Every structure is written in C-alpha cells, then in structure tokens.
Amino acid sequence: MALLDWRSADHFDPTGDKPCVICTKPTPLRSDSGKPVHKVCAEEWIDTHTPKEENR
C-alpha cells in the first residue's frame, strides 16, 4: 500500500474544507498539485491505478 508523507504544512489549506476529488466528503487537505483530497483517498487511488509487476 502506498504511504504518502503529508507532514508538511503545504498539504493543509487553512482557508477551509473543499470536497475531496475522490470521495466528495469535505477535507482541508490538498495534494501536491493543490487538489482537495484525503490522504487515505490518495493512497488508495495510487494503489488502484499503479500497474503491478507480475511474479514470474
């Protein structure tokens, strides 16, 4: 599972909550690109959309 490090204050928007782009619930958190998203939603999205290597 992807684990993002969002300890930086850059991931918190003090101006208020906006709907998460994934689950639509309110969040003060922002992605690296500034989009409102919960950390757990972003981690799950990465896991779902990252190609997996096949075991050979």
Side-chain angles (χ1 to χ4, degrees):
M1 175 172 190
L3 293 175
L4 300 172
D5 180 0
W6 280 14
R7 289 180 277 185
S8 166
D10 295 339
H11 290 287
F12 179 78
D13 186 349
T15 64
D17 290 354
K18 292 187 178 166
C20 173
V21 296
I22 296 173
C23 75
T24 71
K25 293 179 183 171
T27 182
L29 298 176
R30 302 295 181 261
S31 68
D32 289 343
S33 62
K35 300 214 184 277
V37 64
H38 297 103
K39 180 178 178 285
V40 294
C41 289
E43 291 168 341
E44 185 175 327
W45 189 93
I46 290 169
D47 283 345
T48 304
H49 293 88
T50 301
K52 307 287 186 226
E53 279 191 37
E54 292 183 37
N55 292 334
R56 294 179 190 218

